[in-house]
Amino acid sequence: MFGLALFLFLLRTSYGEVTYYFPEEMKRGSVIGNIANDLGLDKKGLYVRKARLEMDGSNTLYCDINLSTGDLIVAERMDREQLCGRRVSCVLKYEMVLENPLELHRVVLQIQDINDNSPQFANDRITFEIRESAVKGARFAVHQAHDADIGLNAVQSYTLQRNDHFSLAVNTKPGGGKYGELKLEKELDREQQQEVTLLLTAVDGGTPQRSGNVVIHVTVLDANDNVPTFSQNIYKVRIPENAPMGTVVVTVSATDVDEGQNGEVMYVFGPISVELNELFSLDPKTGDISLSGQMDFEKESVYEISIQAQDSLGLTSFANVVIEITDVNDNAPVISLKSLTNPIPENVLPGTEVGIINVQDKDSEGNRQVRCSIQQNVPFKLNPSIKNYYSLVTTSELDREIISDYNITITATDEGSPPLSSSKIIHLSVSDVNDNPPAFEEPSYSSYVTENNKPGSSMCSVTARDPDWRQNGTVVYSLFPSGVNGVPVSSFLSINGDTGVIHAVRAFDYEQFRSFKVHVVARDNGSPPLSSNVTVSVFITDENDNSPQILYPAPAGNSLMTEMVPKAALAGSLVSKVIAVDADSGQNAWLSYHIVKSTDPGLFTVGLHSGEMRAQRDISESDSMKQNLVISVKDNGQPSLSTTCDVYLLISDNLAEVPELKDMAYEDSSKLTSYLIIGLVSVSTFFLTFIILILAVRFCRSRKPRMLFDGAVAIPSAYFPPNYAEVDGAGTLRSSYNYDAYLTTGSRTSDFKFVRSYNDSTLPADQTLTRCPDTLLEGSIITLNTAGDSEVTHAFILHFMRMVCPTWL
């Protein structure tokens, strides 16, 4: 079969077209040619550029490309007779497609016929009835042998077995093809021989030659000397491909001038393929050729049929029928997705090519002209590319957080009448890029924590959202490194990196600090990571965890602080004041003062909220000189906390009348320490001395002794601990002036000290303070130390006050 040497012929054009000629029936894997060299392409780039062959209207690729070598190889066995039938030219047209950039080359495969089919007759036996009157030279056509091959490989000649009566004449039909005719060389004599048997052989022109045989049986009859004659040798007709079955395509007509039975004509198909036999039917009497199947212009556009007319005695003539199929718009466009980048990164630039679309229509001429469009609500468009290819490109920026998937509907419509259309939906996903930092749900956060909280307890929670996907949207929380009062923030708070819950690392003390701010950073796990921060304000609320602290009278060592009350003190006179503060705030620092015990319960009273001690009635001679009061200071917290102090008062106008201070016992104040007693005596002495000085200066002309006890009493600023602050209504005195008074009982030594006023009108220490016309007090502080008994101290105080203001005493 393959004795014929294979040959290849390469034809290149300047338009990227290459043509290969090769024989049919080549084995799979056989190399047709090197398409990379023939088209001048880089072999190494074939795989990268996704080189492939495409063929319109066929799902079978008979050839393929070896991407490593660039060879065009046989992928499927190719039978020219099956692919092209009787057509002389058997052509397969491919398009070689390369991407990045898109490039198209036409590849034409011309399949050459080989002699792989033997001639065959329609029947194994041919019967003729010939009258004996047939003259010498009469011809009797023999059914043509059918050979599926074409050209030289088709039937080229006929040979007839040697006999006494007939020879063989080979003729060519009008439409091509050869057939044999029996030529009567010697008249028949029915009386001598009624039947003649002949062997006819059909031989093709291939190498090696192939042949087919048929037996011809001749029955000798009376003469029939006229053959049927067709009205025309070739019948041509056009019919649309959608013609319904049963339609009469054409009617052939032949006449026989003989009379009677010899003039009756019968029509039959000549050599015909199985396909045509199923597609068309022939009425043997009328000659009507009807449609018995469905035609398809896209499959075959022209059919040629040989028609044979013979009379009842076997005389035959031939005619050809050419049927041209006209196209109708019966094929909708076919949309093929040739390449697609999926998913698409959301940061691609507008104009990026993401896919290649191919649109084909099997119809012809105007019916195959196609318009391709895309819906308007997506950020994509179709750009016409090469021939019937389109590039799918982006038209704007993409944002996965807004739209993560697109269903793109592509519609292709042809220009037939009526037009046909088809659609294809392409699903595109947008892949995530870390382009969104975490965003907190609140612009800032506040947390209120009660002091003395339990370490490790949760305080509040912050939440940040990141619309990105997977690790790009995974948020991790951390505290921004900073300090609170010089201490790292990590010593105060910690945060759960996954949940954003903030925990207290240690217990807080409202009295140390009341609020602070930290910054929480939310960072995603993208590459590179993005972050944002938010401010968290922590407010510490107060608890009643501090008892009131008494500032005055304050104990000083083992001494007692005693204050002197003039015997002329009237009801309502201010005799002393208890000063206390509470480190807490709010209602926890609201203080109230109560007398728990007193030597004479009806003699003195204390202000509930001011702590001022006043005479409840006029002091009489019968009142005891030594008065001891126990004052309780209580805050307003829940539960309430309290502190007590002892106040020692001496009712006397003359220091000489005062007995030894060391003889004053604590009496019922067993709970007070010696330090508290000494402090109380010192503060009381300072209090009385300062009262005397201020009243002497301000009221030296008034001569009203009771005003000495109406002034405000204050404690020096040195008594206030550094962590205490002035709170309205908390029991802390708003100072107008301060003084110190000390009377000690342990050493019989008394200190008397004047201290400058702490109000706004106090003069500087280097200026002269004048309160009486005839008295000049130079300096703002005078301190006198006297050693001896209390009478000397008392006398000195009286003398000093007369110096300051003689009119007062």
Side-chain angles (χ1 to χ4, degrees):
M1 179 183 299
F2 296 98
L4 179 64
L6 304 181
F7 67 95
L8 298 175
F9 175 78
L10 172 65
L11 175 64
R12 292 192 54 184
T13 70
S14 60
Y15 296 96
E17 178 176 323
V18 61
T19 303
Y20 293 94
Y21 293 84
F22 63 97
E24 66 175 331
E25 302 292 345
M26 291 183 70
K27 295 181 179 180
R28 291 184 182 179
S30 299
V31 176
I32 298 174
N34 192 292
I35 196 169
N37 293 337
D38 298 337
L39 290 175
L41 301 175
D42 183 10
K43 298 178 182 179
K44 297 180 181 179
L46 295 179
Y47 180 82
V48 176
R49 298 182 64 186
K50 301 179 182 179
R52 60 187 181 271
L53 292 177
E54 303 266 354
M55 185 168 111
D56 296 343
S58 176
N59 296 325
T60 303
L61 287 178
Y62 294 96
C63 296
D64 202 354
I65 301 174
N66 188 326
L67 298 181
S68 300
T69 63
D71 290 334
L72 181 65
I73 60 176
V74 176
E76 294 289 340
R77 185 183 74 88
M78 286 176 279
D79 186 351
R80 191 204 65 80
E81 289 74 28
Q82 182 180 355
L83 292 174
C84 301
R86 301 294 300 172
R87 283 179 289 179
V88 175
S89 176
C90 186
V91 179
L92 296 181
K93 295 182 180 180
Y94 289 88
E95 290 179 344
M96 181 179 177
V97 181
L98 296 98
E99 298 183 10
N100 298 321
L102 181 62
E103 189 175 348
L104 226 68
H105 298 279
R106 292 188 60 191
V107 179
V108 180
L109 303 181
Q110 289 279 2
I111 303 174
Q112 303 296 314
D113 184 50
I114 64 174
N115 192 26
D116 58 341
N117 292 281
S118 299
Q120 293 181 352
F121 289 91
N123 300 303
D124 295 333
R125 184 183 180 91
I126 300 176
T127 302
F128 286 101
E129 294 181 348
I130 304 176
R131 295 185 179 275
E132 61 180 352
S133 59
V135 296
K136 184 179 178 179
R139 295 173 180 264
F140 304 94
V142 181
H143 291 285
Q144 180 182 352
H146 175 69
D147 193 333
D149 297 324
I150 61 172
L152 291 176
N153 295 325
V155 175
Q156 298 297 317
S157 64
Y158 295 87
T159 59
L160 184 65
Q161 182 184 9
R162 184 180 295 274
N163 63 87
D164 296 331
H165 297 280
F166 296 95
S167 65
L168 182 66
V170 179
N171 299 319
T172 302
K173 296 190 300 181
K178 296 182 178 182
Y179 67 96
E181 285 185 333
L182 293 178
K183 182 179 179 182
L184 186 62
E185 298 291 341
K186 180 181 178 182
E187 289 84 359
L188 297 173
D189 188 356
R190 184 176 178 278
E191 288 69 31
Q192 291 182 2
Q193 188 177 2
Q194 296 183 357
E195 294 181 350
V196 178
T197 300
L198 305 172
L199 181 63
L200 180 64
T201 301
V203 181
D204 61 22
T207 304
Q209 284 187 331
R210 293 175 178 270
S211 62
N213 300 319
V214 66
V215 175
I216 302 176
H217 182 77
V218 179
T219 301
V220 180
L221 299 175
D222 289 338
N224 182 20
D225 55 350
N226 291 291
V227 298
T229 304
F230 282 98
S231 60
Q232 58 190 69
N233 291 332
I234 298 177
Y235 293 85
K236 290 186 177 181
V237 66
R238 295 170 63 92
I239 185 172
E241 62 176 325
N242 63 345
M245 287 189 298
T247 301
V248 175
V249 178
V250 65
T251 299
V252 296
S253 176
T255 59
D256 193 325
V257 295
D258 293 328
E259 294 183 356
Q261 187 177 0
N262 292 331
E264 294 180 358
V265 178
M266 180 175 290
Y267 303 94
V268 294
F269 283 126
I272 190 172
S273 65
V274 176
E275 179 186 4
L276 287 177
N277 195 36
E278 293 177 351
L279 186 60
F280 299 99
S281 62
L282 175 62
D283 190 317
K285 293 183 178 181
T286 64
D288 292 339
I289 299 176
S290 302
L291 190 64
S292 59
Q294 185 64 49
M295 294 182 297
D296 190 350
F297 173 84
E298 289 70 39
K299 186 176 180 181
E300 193 67 52
S301 60
V302 177
Y303 294 102
E304 291 186 14
I305 304 175
S306 176
I307 306 298
Q308 178 179 327
Q310 64 183 16
D311 58 21
S312 60
L313 297 181
L315 298 180
T316 305
S317 63
F318 294 91
N320 272 2
V321 177
V322 179
I323 303 174
E324 295 182 4
I325 312 300
T326 59
D327 182 46
V328 295
N329 191 28
D330 59 343
N331 291 280
V334 178
I335 303 172
S336 301
L337 181 62
K338 298 300 182 181
S339 177
L340 182 65
T341 302
N342 195 15
I344 313 168
E346 62 177 323
N347 61 346
V348 296
L349 298 176
T352 301
E353 181 181 272
V354 298
I356 297 175
I357 309 298
N358 177 259
V359 183
Q360 297 286 347
D361 195 314
K362 294 181 180 180
D363 296 320
S364 63
E365 298 179 354
N367 294 332
R368 68 178 304 168
Q369 300 301 318
V370 178
R371 300 185 306 273
C372 201
S373 62
I374 193 172
Q375 75 261 39
Q376 301 299 319
N377 58 343
V378 292
F380 299 93
K381 69 176 181 179
L382 288 175
N383 285 339
S385 186
I386 302 173
K387 198 179 177 182
N388 49 357
Y389 283 85
Y390 296 84
S391 296
L392 182 63
V393 299
T394 60
T395 59
S396 62
E397 295 181 351
L398 306 177
D399 192 342
R400 190 203 67 84
E401 288 71 43
I402 298 177
I403 301 178
S404 60
D405 294 275
Y406 291 93
N407 287 321
I408 304 171
T409 302
I410 298 175
T411 303
T413 306
D414 62 27
E415 295 184 357
S417 179
L420 299 178
S421 64
S422 61
S423 299
K424 187 177 185 66
I425 297 177
I426 299 176
H427 178 78
L428 280 176
S429 298
V430 182
S431 62
D432 186 48
V433 174
N434 191 29
D435 57 349
N436 291 281
F440 286 93
E441 292 183 347
E442 302 291 340
S444 62
Y445 292 84
S446 299
S447 175
Y448 294 87
V449 185
T450 305
E451 65 173 331
N452 303 318
N453 58 296
K454 185 179 179 180
S457 60
S458 61
M459 296 169 45
C460 67
S461 175
V462 297
T463 303
R465 307 291 183 187
D466 194 321
D468 292 324
W469 195 43
R470 290 187 177 175
Q471 67 176 15
N472 293 334
T474 302
V475 179
V476 178
Y477 303 92
S478 61
L479 294 176
F480 185 79
S482 61
V484 179
N485 296 334
V487 180
V489 69
S490 58
S491 300
F492 294 91
L493 303 175
S494 66
I495 189 169
N496 188 310
D498 297 326
T499 63
V501 177
I502 299 177
H503 300 270
V505 174
R506 66 180 184 182
F508 299 111
D509 188 354
Y510 176 83
E511 287 70 43
Q512 289 184 358
F513 52 86
R514 303 183 180 183
S515 64
F516 61 91
K517 293 182 178 181
V518 297
H519 297 281
V520 176
V521 179
R523 175 181 55 82
D524 60 29
N525 284 329
S527 179
L530 301 178
S531 62
S532 60
N533 59 69
V534 71
T535 301
V536 179
S537 300
V538 180
F539 299 95
I540 302 170
T541 59
D542 183 48
E543 277 191 345
N544 191 29
D545 58 345
N546 292 280
S547 300
Q549 181 177 349
I550 297 177
L551 303 180
Y552 184 87
N558 295 324
S559 301
L560 298 176
M561 183 176 291
T562 306
E563 296 194 22
M564 297 185 64
V565 180
K567 293 181 179 180
L570 303 178
S573 299
L574 176 66
V575 298
S576 183
K577 181 172 182 177
V578 177
I579 301 175
V581 293
D582 195 314
D584 295 321
S585 65
Q587 67 177 7
N588 295 330
W590 296 350
L591 303 181
S592 60
Y593 301 82
H594 309 275
I595 297 178
V596 179
K597 281 186 179 181
S598 65
T599 304
D600 188 348
L603 183 56
F604 298 102
T605 183
V606 63
L608 179 61
H609 298 294
S610 65
E612 294 179 349
M613 298 178 60
R614 296 182 180 272
Q616 198 168 2
R617 57 177 175 80
D618 294 341
I619 297 176
S620 63
E621 293 292 338
S622 60
D623 292 326
S624 173
M625 178 181 296
K626 296 183 294 181
Q627 296 287 331
N628 182 18
L629 293 86
V630 178
I631 307 298
S632 173
V633 183
K634 184 185 300 184
D635 61 26
N636 196 38
Q638 294 295 331
S640 177
L641 301 178
S642 63
T643 305
T644 60
C645 67
D646 284 353
V647 178
Y648 297 95
L649 301 177
L650 294 178
I651 301 176
S652 175
D653 292 332
N654 192 345
L655 289 176
E657 298 178 359
V658 180
E660 290 294 336
L661 294 178
K662 65 181 180 179
D663 296 335
M664 297 179 62
Y666 286 93
E667 296 180 357
D668 297 329
S669 303
S670 58
K671 297 182 181 179
L672 299 179
T673 62
S674 59
Y675 172 78
L676 187 59
I677 296 175
I678 294 173
L680 180 61
V681 174
S682 301
V683 173
S684 300
T685 304
F686 177 77
F687 173 77
L688 292 176
T689 304
F690 197 81
I691 290 292
I692 292 172
L693 287 176
I694 297 303
L695 294 179
V697 173
R698 296 182 60 183
F699 305 106
C700 62
R701 296 182 180 180
S702 61
R703 299 185 180 181
K704 295 181 181 179
R706 71 176 295 176
M707 296 302 294
L708 176 64
F709 306 101
D710 292 339
V713 181
I715 195 69
S717 62
Y719 279 95
F720 290 91
N723 292 335
Y724 286 80
E726 185 83 17
V727 181
D728 290 343
T732 303
L733 183 66
R734 288 191 290 272
S735 302
S736 298
Y737 45 83
N738 300 330
Y739 66 89
D740 294 334
Y742 306 94
L743 290 177
T744 62
T745 59
S747 62
R748 297 178 59 84
T749 302
S750 299
D751 294 338
F752 186 80
K753 180 168 69 174
F754 286 94
V755 184
R756 64 184 176 86
S757 172
Y758 286 87
N759 61 357
D760 295 337
S761 61
T762 304
L763 294 176
D766 57 351
Q767 295 184 9
T768 301
L769 179 64
T770 304
R771 286 293 183 269
C772 191
D774 55 351
T775 303
L776 178 64
L777 180 61
E778 294 182 357
S780 61
I781 302 176
I782 300 176
T783 304
L784 178 64
N785 296 325
T786 60
D789 55 18
S790 58
E791 287 83 2
V792 177
T793 301
H794 186 212
F796 175 78
I797 293 174
L798 296 177
H799 178 70
F800 180 82
M801 295 178 66
R802 290 191 186 96
M803 290 176 60
V804 175
C805 187
T807 60
W808 185 61
L809 294 174

Tab-separated table of all heavy atoms in Angstrom, residues 757-791:
chain	number	residue	atom	x	y	z
A	757	SER	N	1.633	85.097	107.372
A	757	SER	CA	0.330	84.653	106.882
A	757	SER	C	0.465	84.035	105.499
A	757	SER	O	1.278	84.449	104.691
A	757	SER	CB	-0.622	85.850	106.831
A	757	SER	OG	-1.806	85.480	106.202
A	758	TYR	N	-0.447	83.034	105.212
A	758	TYR	CA	-0.439	82.349	103.901
A	758	TYR	C	-1.551	82.833	103.000
A	758	TYR	O	-1.860	82.220	102.030
A	758	TYR	CB	-0.556	80.829	104.097
A	758	TYR	CG	0.716	80.213	104.599
A	758	TYR	CD1	0.980	80.151	105.947
A	758	TYR	CD2	1.656	79.719	103.684
A	758	TYR	CE1	2.156	79.588	106.403
A	758	TYR	CE2	2.826	79.151	104.143
A	758	TYR	CZ	3.089	79.083	105.511
A	758	TYR	OH	4.239	78.505	105.977
A	759	ASN	N	-2.168	83.982	103.420
A	759	ASN	CA	-3.204	84.493	102.524
A	759	ASN	C	-2.588	85.395	101.474
A	759	ASN	O	-1.391	85.676	101.489
A	759	ASN	CB	-4.301	85.208	103.335
A	759	ASN	CG	-3.728	86.406	104.093
A	759	ASN	OD1	-2.525	86.625	104.035
A	759	ASN	ND2	-4.570	87.152	104.771
A	760	ASP	N	-3.428	85.893	100.601
A	760	ASP	CA	-2.937	86.650	99.440
A	760	ASP	C	-2.379	88.004	99.835
A	760	ASP	O	-1.603	88.586	99.086
A	760	ASP	CB	-4.054	86.841	98.408
A	760	ASP	CG	-4.471	85.510	97.832
A	760	ASP	OD1	-3.644	84.579	97.883
A	760	ASP	OD2	-5.606	85.415	97.330
A	761	SER	N	-2.805	88.539	101.031
A	761	SER	CA	-2.369	89.876	101.421
A	761	SER	C	-1.108	89.865	102.263
A	761	SER	O	-0.683	90.881	102.752
A	761	SER	CB	-3.492	90.572	102.195
A	761	SER	OG	-3.761	89.817	103.368
A	762	THR	N	-0.473	88.724	102.416
A	762	THR	CA	0.743	88.631	103.238
A	762	THR	C	1.888	89.329	102.540
A	762	THR	O	2.119	89.140	101.356
A	762	THR	CB	1.101	87.157	103.480
A	762	THR	OG1	-0.001	86.516	104.071
A	762	THR	CG2	2.315	87.031	104.369
A	763	LEU	N	2.612	90.138	103.310
A	763	LEU	CA	3.759	90.846	102.755
A	763	LEU	C	4.961	89.936	102.713
A	763	LEU	O	5.058	88.984	103.493
A	763	LEU	CB	4.077	92.076	103.609
A	763	LEU	CG	3.018	93.168	103.613
A	763	LEU	CD1	3.424	94.272	104.561
A	763	LEU	CD2	2.800	93.729	102.238
A	764	PRO	N	5.892	90.205	101.848
A	764	PRO	CA	7.107	89.412	101.818
A	764	PRO	C	7.888	89.546	103.124
A	764	PRO	O	7.699	90.482	103.896
A	764	PRO	CB	7.878	89.976	100.639
A	764	PRO	CG	6.845	90.615	99.773
A	764	PRO	CD	5.810	91.138	100.721
A	765	ALA	N	8.769	88.610	103.334
A	765	ALA	CA	9.475	88.544	104.618
A	765	ALA	C	10.422	89.708	104.820
A	765	ALA	O	10.760	90.052	105.949
A	765	ALA	CB	10.245	87.227	104.716
A	766	ASP	N	10.853	90.342	103.760
A	766	ASP	CA	11.834	91.435	103.909
A	766	ASP	C	11.176	92.797	104.020
A	766	ASP	O	11.826	93.824	103.989
A	766	ASP	CB	12.800	91.413	102.721
A	766	ASP	CG	12.053	91.534	101.418
A	766	ASP	OD1	10.804	91.451	101.449
A	766	ASP	OD2	12.698	91.679	100.344
A	767	GLN	N	9.860	92.873	104.176
A	767	GLN	CA	9.165	94.144	104.327
A	767	GLN	C	8.679	94.312	105.768
A	767	GLN	O	8.531	93.332	106.497
A	767	GLN	CB	7.990	94.223	103.360
A	767	GLN	CG	8.430	94.229	101.885
A	767	GLN	CD	7.258	94.393	100.965
A	767	GLN	OE1	6.164	94.667	101.423
A	767	GLN	NE2	7.520	94.253	99.682
A	768	THR	N	8.338	95.544	106.149
A	768	THR	CA	7.897	95.872	107.521
A	768	THR	C	6.406	95.696	107.613
A	768	THR	O	5.663	96.176	106.771
A	768	THR	CB	8.279	97.300	107.882
A	768	THR	OG1	9.686	97.420	107.781
A	768	THR	CG2	7.831	97.625	109.297
A	769	LEU	N	5.959	94.996	108.636
A	769	LEU	CA	4.530	94.774	108.885
A	769	LEU	C	4.089	95.702	109.999
A	769	LEU	O	4.609	95.630	111.120
A	769	LEU	CB	4.282	93.310	109.273
A	769	LEU	CG	2.847	92.946	109.585
A	769	LEU	CD1	1.995	93.123	108.341
A	769	LEU	CD2	2.784	91.528	110.109
A	770	THR	N	3.153	96.581	109.715
A	770	THR	CA	2.674	97.568	110.714
A	770	THR	C	1.208	97.355	110.955
A	770	THR	O	0.421	97.373	110.028
A	770	THR	CB	2.908	98.994	110.212
A	770	THR	OG1	4.288	99.144	109.919
A	770	THR	CG2	2.472	99.991	111.256
A	771	ARG	N	0.828	97.130	112.200
A	771	ARG	CA	-0.562	96.934	112.555
A	771	ARG	C	-1.023	97.930	113.629
A	771	ARG	O	-2.178	98.019	113.934
A	771	ARG	CB	-0.774	95.505	113.076
A	771	ARG	CG	-0.730	94.470	111.972
A	771	ARG	CD	-1.920	94.643	111.047
A	771	ARG	NE	-1.945	93.621	110.023
A	771	ARG	CZ	-1.360	93.781	108.846
A	771	ARG	NH1	-0.749	94.940	108.580
A	771	ARG	NH2	-1.412	92.815	107.962
A	772	CYS	N	-0.108	98.663	114.238
A	772	CYS	CA	-0.482	99.602	115.303
A	772	CYS	C	0.341	100.865	115.112
A	772	CYS	O	1.520	100.783	114.724
A	772	CYS	CB	-0.206	98.972	116.682
A	772	CYS	SG	-0.913	99.896	118.052
A	773	PRO	N	-0.226	102.006	115.360
A	773	PRO	CA	0.480	103.262	115.087
A	773	PRO	C	1.775	103.369	115.866
A	773	PRO	O	2.740	103.953	115.372
A	773	PRO	CB	-0.507	104.342	115.451
A	773	PRO	CG	-1.835	103.688	115.367
A	773	PRO	CD	-1.610	102.256	115.740
A	774	ASP	N	1.822	102.920	117.080
A	774	ASP	CA	3.002	103.113	117.904
A	774	ASP	C	3.791	101.837	118.101
A	774	ASP	O	4.624	101.740	118.979
A	774	ASP	CB	2.591	103.659	119.269
A	774	ASP	CG	1.556	102.757	119.929
A	774	ASP	OD1	1.054	101.826	119.228
A	774	ASP	OD2	1.254	102.969	121.091
A	775	THR	N	3.523	100.828	117.282
A	775	THR	CA	4.235	99.553	117.416
A	775	THR	C	4.778	99.159	116.064
A	775	THR	O	4.071	99.166	115.077
A	775	THR	CB	3.304	98.452	117.939
A	775	THR	OG1	2.753	98.866	119.172
A	775	THR	CG2	4.090	97.147	118.165
A	776	LEU	N	6.011	98.825	115.996
A	776	LEU	CA	6.652	98.411	114.757
A	776	LEU	C	7.207	97.006	114.931
A	776	LEU	O	7.964	96.768	115.865
A	776	LEU	CB	7.772	99.382	114.381
A	776	LEU	CG	8.557	99.032	113.104
A	776	LEU	CD1	7.610	99.098	111.921
A	776	LEU	CD2	9.726	100.008	112.919
A	777	LEU	N	6.740	96.129	114.022
A	777	LEU	CA	7.214	94.725	114.060
A	777	LEU	C	8.052	94.496	112.819
A	777	LEU	O	7.556	94.496	111.722
A	777	LEU	CB	6.044	93.743	114.096
A	777	LEU	CG	6.437	92.265	114.137
A	777	LEU	CD1	7.237	91.970	115.392
A	777	LEU	CD2	5.188	91.412	114.055
A	778	GLU	N	9.307	94.425	113.013
A	778	GLU	CA	10.186	94.191	111.883
A	778	GLU	C	10.373	92.700	111.667
A	778	GLU	O	10.629	91.961	112.606
A	778	GLU	CB	11.543	94.841	112.129
A	778	GLU	CG	11.484	96.362	112.192
A	778	GLU	CD	12.859	96.973	112.393
A	778	GLU	OE1	13.812	96.180	112.541
A	778	GLU	OE2	12.972	98.179	112.342
A	779	GLY	N	10.273	92.325	110.372
A	779	GLY	CA	10.392	90.908	110.028
A	779	GLY	C	9.059	90.207	110.118
A	779	GLY	O	8.169	90.652	110.812
A	780	SER	N	8.898	89.185	109.424
A	780	SER	CA	7.637	88.447	109.412
A	780	SER	C	7.682	87.234	110.302
A	780	SER	O	6.665	86.637	110.564
A	780	SER	CB	7.306	88.019	107.985
A	780	SER	OG	8.334	87.186	107.508
A	781	ILE	N	8.825	86.845	110.829
A	781	ILE	CA	8.917	85.670	111.678
A	781	ILE	C	9.813	86.004	112.862
A	781	ILE	O	10.938	86.466	112.700
A	781	ILE	CB	9.503	84.452	110.928
A	781	ILE	CG1	8.639	84.127	109.715
A	781	ILE	CG2	9.662	83.252	111.847
A	781	ILE	CD1	9.198	83.021	108.880
A	782	ILE	N	9.288	85.819	114.078
A	782	ILE	CA	10.062	86.017	115.312
A	782	ILE	C	9.939	84.765	116.129
A	782	ILE	O	8.845	84.308	116.418
A	782	ILE	CB	9.571	87.218	116.131
A	782	ILE	CG1	9.693	88.505	115.278
A	782	ILE	CG2	10.329	87.333	117.444
A	782	ILE	CD1	9.152	89.714	115.970
A	783	THR	N	11.035	84.202	116.501
A	783	THR	CA	11.050	82.978	117.295
A	783	THR	C	11.808	83.240	118.581
A	783	THR	O	12.903	83.811	118.581
A	783	THR	CB	11.729	81.841	116.531
A	783	THR	OG1	11.063	81.669	115.286
A	783	THR	CG2	11.680	80.534	117.320
A	784	LEU	N	11.202	82.841	119.705
A	784	LEU	CA	11.802	83.064	121.023
A	784	LEU	C	11.819	81.752	121.779
A	784	LEU	O	10.801	81.090	121.889
A	784	LEU	CB	10.998	84.104	121.824
A	784	LEU	CG	11.494	84.386	123.238
A	784	LEU	CD1	12.891	85.017	123.195
A	784	LEU	CD2	10.506	85.311	123.956
A	785	ASN	N	12.944	81.408	122.227
A	785	ASN	CA	13.098	80.213	123.044
A	785	ASN	C	13.357	80.636	124.483
A	785	ASN	O	14.257	81.432	124.787
A	785	ASN	CB	14.265	79.366	122.558
A	785	ASN	CG	14.028	78.833	121.164
A	785	ASN	OD1	12.899	78.532	120.836
A	785	ASN	ND2	15.073	78.750	120.352
A	786	THR	N	12.591	80.152	125.405
A	786	THR	CA	12.752	80.458	126.849
A	786	THR	C	12.844	79.167	127.595
A	786	THR	O	12.139	78.209	127.310
A	786	THR	CB	11.565	81.258	127.367
A	786	THR	OG1	10.397	80.493	127.169
A	786	THR	CG2	11.432	82.578	126.624
A	787	ALA	N	13.672	79.172	128.493
A	787	ALA	CA	13.856	78.004	129.351
A	787	ALA	C	13.432	78.354	130.759
A	787	ALA	O	13.758	79.410	131.292
A	787	ALA	CB	15.325	77.566	129.332
A	788	GLY	N	12.701	77.478	131.328
A	788	GLY	CA	12.217	77.732	132.679
A	788	GLY	C	10.811	77.291	132.829
A	788	GLY	O	10.292	76.511	132.048
A	789	ASP	N	10.131	77.779	133.771
A	789	ASP	CA	8.762	77.346	134.032
A	789	ASP	C	7.800	78.084	133.135
A	789	ASP	O	8.153	78.987	132.420
A	789	ASP	CB	8.423	77.551	135.518
A	789	ASP	CG	8.659	79.000	135.975
A	789	ASP	OD1	8.745	79.875	135.062
A	789	ASP	OD2	8.775	79.246	137.157
A	790	SER	N	6.569	77.643	133.220
A	790	SER	CA	5.540	78.209	132.345
A	790	SER	C	5.190	79.621	132.722
A	790	SER	O	4.709	80.382	131.902
A	790	SER	CB	4.290	77.324	132.398
A	790	SER	OG	3.836	77.250	133.742
A	791	GLU	N	5.430	80.020	133.942
A	791	GLU	CA	5.093	81.394	134.324
A	791	GLU	C	5.948	82.385	133.568
A	791	GLU	O	5.472	83.462	133.166
A	791	GLU	CB	5.309	81.602	135.836
A	791	GLU	CG	4.252	80.911	136.715
A	791	GLU	CD	4.591	79.442	136.929
A	791	GLU	OE1	5.669	79.005	136.428
A	791	GLU	OE2	3.773	78.738	137.512
